[in-house]
Amino acid sequence: MTAASRTPDTRLRLQQSAVAGIDPRTLYLLAKLRQDVFSIEQKATDPDLDGRDLEPTTALLWIEVPGPDADAAGLEGEPVAHVRVLREDDGSMRIGRMAVRAQERRAGFGRRIMRAALDLTAQLAPEQPVHIDGQAYLETWYQGMGFETVGPVFLEAGIEHVPMVFRHPHD
């Protein structure tokens, strides 16, 4: 079942679910958002669908805004931002596949969805580091959220990335 919570703007909804709990329309729209961003816009050379979304410990998070016909048709909103949270074999956490719809960028959705992902990792495994392979041009943006760079730039899917880690503060 999809868990929803309201963000301060009541038109926005933060959603979280495993793949099995997502209705087919929403799952399609999430896959389309990732396709639009990674395959079409950024021309990634590796496939987006890598099987990790299906792992039982994977959580997908997304922000929905109401579509123009959502209420009249009884549909949920349209996803504008997405991220997935994975648990690695060593117990550490990994955040990836962050995508924000092109026309919604610079509206704070990236920061909101990343903050929600970090909050989830704090609930699931607060003692564990959180890894990302952030796109290199966003390195400073991630550093502003508390990530530290832990290695050199590398190519993934034909795009420059940098390995980064976030450590939750301890009391």
Side-chain angles (χ1 to χ4, degrees):
M1 178 152 271
T2 302
S5 65
R6 294 277 178 188
T7 60
D9 180 341
T10 58
R11 298 175 312 117
L12 304 177
R13 293 192 329 165
L14 175 63
Q15 303 278 12
Q16 174 188 326
S17 181
V19 166
I22 302 174
D23 69 271
R25 176 188 174 274
T26 300
L27 188 58
Y28 171 85
L29 291 173
L30 291 171
K32 184 176 183 333
L33 172 61
R34 284 168 47 171
Q35 172 188 271
D36 289 349
V37 171
F38 302 131
S39 300
I40 296 171
E41 181 185 332
Q42 296 179 349
K43 301 185 182 356
T45 58
D46 295 346
D48 171 51
L49 298 177
D50 60 2
R52 299 226 45 203
D53 295 284
L54 299 174
E55 294 174 9
T57 59
T58 297
L60 301 183
L61 288 82
W62 66 99
I63 296 173
E64 290 182 350
V65 295
D69 302 319
D71 292 335
L75 300 173
E76 293 294 320
E78 299 285 328
V80 296
H82 168 280
V83 71
R84 74 178 179 187
V85 175
L86 307 167
R87 185 177 295 271
E88 299 288 30
D89 290 340
D90 65 1
S92 67
M93 304 300 293
R94 176 167 294 278
I95 298 174
R97 299 301 198 259
M98 187 176 87
V100 178
R101 194 163 60 186
Q103 60 269 36
E104 306 296 341
R105 294 197 189 125
R106 305 221 183 273
F109 290 115
R111 185 167 298 281
R112 288 180 190 189
I113 199 70
M114 183 57 73
R115 184 72 253 162
L118 287 170
D119 290 348
L120 179 59
T121 64
Q123 292 171 18
L124 296 174
E127 72 291 348
Q128 291 293 329
V130 181
H131 298 274
I132 64 168
D133 292 330
Q135 290 188 8
Y137 82 96
L138 291 170
E139 182 177 8
T140 302
W141 183 82
Y142 284 117
Q143 288 171 338
M145 294 196 72
F147 284 90
E148 72 176 87
T149 303
V150 293
V153 171
F154 65 94
L155 279 182
E156 181 178 326
I159 300 167
E160 288 188 335
H161 284 76
V162 62
M164 303 184 86
V165 67
F166 179 94
R167 290 178 178 79
H168 293 286
H170 291 75
D171 293 335

